[in-house]
Amino acid sequence: MMLTLAEARKCGNRLLNKLTDEHYQALLPRLEKSNLKSKDVIYERNKAVSHVHFPCDSALSNLIYLEDGAAVEVGTVGNEGFSSVELLVNASLAIESCVCQIAGRSLRMRTADFQKEITGQTPLRHLAECYFQAYLSQVSQSVACNRMHTIEARFARWLLVTHDRVRGEEFYLTQEFIAEMLGVHRPSVSLIAGAFQNAGIIQYRRGHMKILDRAALEETSCECYKVVTLQFKRLLGIPYG
């Protein structure tokens, strides 16, 4: 059954919600709901992308896998954007792998349909290009952040971005997954999470993360969170995450 406009808007992808009712209505026959589970593989590097996802309350991680099997997160996608930005330049294969980081809903569209909808100067293409610029600012800032800032600051920044993208104060996230995303060993995450919990900033137990003190997280985070947030506001009028 095709989504109604009210149902689609309620799903909460903020990029799509910037479309006018007329333009959003025209996309509805091509959109469908998708329920994503943590660690679901959305697509793999050097393989064709079947669908473009517009997360609602889920979050996706774009990863590069190294020869030894280690994964390095190079970007994240939440309800401010969409997966597979390389499709904007007619890429035929994915340049990264993408997995679900936070379980939840998304709206998805077949790649062929998405490519039709961004052919020419369409409203969706305009928004997608603005998002592409904002996403590039996120990726480039992350390079500097990962090189120069402490694990504690990066951990706080990562929690802030995740918190922005989910509904409510709680989400499920294992230490193993956090370690992969930050590119550190799991014991380091355990120590940092414990310190944050002792400080009353978070509550964490068996993968269940609850944000208790948002202001303290912002104070602990490096400047990268604010820098990228400003870029998303400038380009799209919406906050990062």
Side-chain angles (χ1 to χ4, degrees):
M1 182 181 296
M2 189 178 81
L3 288 167
T4 66
L5 181 60
E7 288 173 334
R9 288 203 180 279
K10 189 176 180 180
C11 282
N13 181 274
R14 289 178 288 172
L15 188 73
L16 292 179
N17 279 350
K18 291 186 70 66
L19 293 167
T20 65
D21 285 353
E22 177 185 2
H23 292 136
Y24 207 157
Q25 186 74 50
L27 290 182
L28 293 182
R30 304 184 188 279
L31 288 169
E32 63 180 357
K33 285 184 180 179
S34 177
N35 292 314
L36 300 176
K37 297 178 183 178
S38 178
K39 295 194 176 181
D40 276 353
V41 177
I42 309 304
Y43 52 82
E44 295 181 76
R45 186 181 188 181
N46 294 328
K47 293 186 178 181
V49 177
S50 63
H51 290 84
V52 174
H53 282 261
F54 298 85
C56 301
D57 51 9
S58 58
L60 311 179
S61 289
N62 291 327
L63 307 170
I64 296 296
Y65 286 95
L66 305 179
E67 287 185 353
D68 63 0
V72 178
E73 183 181 73
V74 294
T76 61
V77 182
N79 56 18
E80 78 291 343
F82 67 97
S83 65
S84 315
V85 294
E86 60 267 40
L87 295 176
L88 282 171
V89 291
N90 297 317
S92 58
L93 301 176
I95 61 173
E96 304 157 340
S97 295
C98 181
V99 301
C100 179
Q101 174 192 111
I102 302 292
R105 299 169 301 162
S106 78
L107 297 175
R108 71 177 190 177
M109 181 186 297
R110 290 188 308 162
T111 296
D113 289 336
F114 178 78
Q115 290 173 324
K116 289 178 183 177
E117 293 296 337
I118 60 170
T119 298
Q121 296 305 308
T122 67
L124 182 59
R125 182 172 188 90
H126 172 70
L127 287 175
E129 288 178 341
C130 288
Y131 172 72
F132 185 43
Q133 294 179 62
Y135 177 79
L136 287 179
S137 76
Q138 176 209 144
V139 172
S140 60
Q141 191 71 31
S142 292
V143 172
C145 184
N146 292 340
R147 176 67 178 85
M148 301 300 297
H149 294 147
T150 66
I151 300 175
E152 290 82 2
R154 290 162 53 205
F155 180 75
R157 174 197 175 200
W158 201 78
L159 288 183
L160 285 170
V161 173
T162 304
H163 187 219
D164 287 342
R165 289 168 169 169
V166 300
R167 296 177 183 176
E169 306 303 317
E170 298 184 49
F171 46 91
Y172 183 77
L173 199 60
T174 65
Q175 289 188 7
E176 178 184 9
F177 202 87
I178 297 172
E180 288 182 359
M181 296 309 98
L182 293 176
V184 299
H185 296 297
R186 182 174 174 176
S188 297
V189 173
S190 181
L191 288 172
I192 294 169
F196 276 49
Q197 183 158 254
N198 291 336
I201 300 174
I202 63 171
Q203 184 180 86
Y204 187 70
R205 181 176 175 82
R206 295 181 179 178
H208 292 277
M209 179 74 69
K210 184 176 182 179
I211 306 301
L212 300 178
D213 191 340
R214 168 87 186 197
L217 266 186
E218 292 179 355
E219 289 178 5
T220 306
S221 174
C222 53
E223 76 267 21
C224 298
Y225 175 73
K226 290 182 179 179
V227 169
V228 178
T229 295
L230 289 174
Q231 289 296 323
F232 271 82
K233 286 182 177 178
R234 180 181 70 83
L235 291 162
L236 289 163
I238 57 179
Y240 171 49

